[in-house]
Amino acid sequence: MTAVQQPEPLDPTPLPRPLGEPAAFPRERLAERILRDLGERIATGELAPGQLLPAEAHLATHYGVSSRVVREALGALAARGLVEVRAGKGTVVRGVDSSPLRDFFDVALLADSRGLWDLFELRKLVEVQIAELAARRATGADLDRCEQALHNLEAAAQADTPEPYVLADIEFHQTIAAAAGNRMLGLLLEGLREPMRKARTRSWQGRIRVGHEVEDQLDMHRRILAAVKRHQPGAAAAAMARHLDLAEVHLRAAETSGSVPRGGQRRRRTASAR
C-alpha cells in the first residue's frame, strides 16, 4: 500500500509580505491562522489604526478560504478589540489598546463582591512599580508632560464636584505611567481606568467624610512627581504607596457609610497653610 504523503510542516518564521501576495495556510484551523496573521500585522503597525481592511471577498481570495472563514476571523479580531466592524463602511483597524482588559475588569467587578478591593490592590501593585520605573527612565519631555498634568490636577481641585478632579487624577497617573517606558504596564493601568473611576469618586467622598482637605491629596501627587524628577526610584515608589494608602483610607470611609477608619484622622491643611 502506498503511504499517504503528509503535508510539509508550516515554517514558524514570519515572512514580511504585502497583503496582496497570496498566503498559503494548511486546511485545519484556517480562521485561527488568519486571525494570527492579521493580528500580527496590526500589532507591528503594518496595518495602522484607522486603516480600512480589504473587503471580505478580497480577503477570502487572498487567503484562499471561504467568506465564512474570513467572517469568523474578523469576528475574533473584533472580540479582541483589534478591529471594529462599521455598518456601511467595513472593518477598520483599531490597533492594540486596553479595551479588552477594560471589558474584562468591568465584568470581573460584577462577578465578585470583592472585585473593587481586588482591583484596588492590583492598582497599588502596578502603580508603585510604575512610579519606580518612571524615576529611572523619565526624559525631559516626560517630566514636562507630568508637570502639566499636575497643574491640571491642581486646577481641577478647585471644583466643587469630583468629576473634574477624577479625570485630572487619571490623566496624572497615566502620564506617570507613560514616563515609566513600559508599554504593558501602561496598557494594564489604562485597562483599570474606567473600572476604577467609581472608586476614585467614592474616595473623593470619603476624603470629605473623614475631614481631610484636597490639598493633602495634591501634596501626595507633588511628592510623587518630585521624586520622579530627582530620579529617585525608591522615594518615588514610597510616595506612590503612601498616596494610595491614603486613597484606600478614603475609599473605606466612603464604603462604611460614614464611619471613619481607625487611623484615618489627619491634620487638616489648606493651600494657604502650605
Side-chain angles (χ1 to χ4, degrees):
M1 179 181 296
T2 304
V4 177
Q5 184 177 1
Q6 297 298 319
E8 292 292 328
L10 186 68
D11 183 1
T13 305
L15 298 176
R17 61 179 183 278
L19 190 59
E21 183 179 332
F25 291 143
R27 293 178 61 84
E28 56 183 330
R29 302 176 61 186
L30 289 173
E32 287 86 348
R33 298 290 181 138
I34 297 171
L35 168 64
R36 184 177 65 178
D37 182 60
L38 290 175
E40 288 176 355
R41 292 174 186 268
I42 293 171
T44 60
E46 182 181 344
L47 294 174
Q51 184 174 344
L52 186 66
L53 289 183
E56 284 184 7
H58 181 90
L59 289 173
T61 301
H62 166 68
Y63 289 111
V65 299
S66 67
S67 295
R68 180 188 61 79
V69 173
V70 170
R71 282 194 295 272
E72 182 180 345
L74 293 180
L77 284 171
R80 297 184 183 189
L82 296 177
V83 300
E84 179 182 358
V85 180
R86 299 179 182 175
K89 185 173 183 180
T91 304
V92 179
V93 176
R94 290 187 57 184
V96 179
D97 61 24
S98 63
S99 55
L101 283 172
R102 180 200 62 209
D103 295 341
F104 168 77
F105 288 135
D106 279 339
V107 173
L109 275 175
L110 299 175
D112 188 346
S113 60
R114 273 195 49 84
L116 178 63
W117 294 108
D118 288 345
L119 280 184
F120 192 85
E121 288 179 357
L122 176 60
R123 181 192 169 197
K124 290 172 70 173
L125 289 171
V126 171
E127 291 218 54
V128 169
Q129 181 65 33
I130 282 174
E132 180 178 337
L133 289 176
R136 296 181 187 276
R137 300 173 177 174
T139 65
D142 290 329
L143 295 176
D144 288 343
R145 286 188 286 269
C146 291
E147 285 279 10
Q148 184 59 54
L150 179 60
H151 292 326
N152 295 343
L153 184 64
E154 290 170 334
Q158 306 306 313
D160 294 329
T161 58
E163 287 79 9
Y165 184 87
V166 167
L167 291 175
D169 182 53
I170 291 172
E171 178 197 1
F172 176 84
H173 286 269
Q174 289 294 152
T175 307
I176 294 290
N182 186 307
R183 186 162 177 261
M184 296 303 172
L185 282 175
L187 287 171
L188 180 54
L189 188 62
E190 179 68 25
L192 290 169
R193 173 178 179 144
E194 291 304 317
M196 291 303 298
R197 184 194 291 262
K198 177 183 176 181
R200 280 179 156 99
T201 302
R202 296 289 286 158
S203 182
W204 169 283
Q205 296 164 346
R207 173 188 61 77
I208 296 173
R209 185 163 289 160
V210 300
H212 293 173
E213 298 292 337
V214 70
E215 184 64 21
D216 293 315
Q217 287 287 56
L218 290 175
D219 189 53
M220 293 283 188
H221 290 83
R222 295 185 187 109
R223 291 174 184 272
I224 293 166
L225 181 54
V228 171
K229 291 173 65 175
R230 293 193 303 267
H231 297 287
Q232 296 178 331
M240 182 66 78
R242 286 193 295 271
H243 162 54
L244 293 175
D245 283 345
L246 183 59
E248 182 177 357
V249 169
H250 294 161
L251 182 57
R252 290 192 182 279
E255 293 295 302
T256 52
S257 301
S259 63
V260 180
R262 184 179 179 181
Q265 295 290 355
R266 291 186 56 197
R267 178 171 57 93
R268 296 182 62 174
R269 288 186 299 140
T270 62
S272 61
R274 285 184 52 78

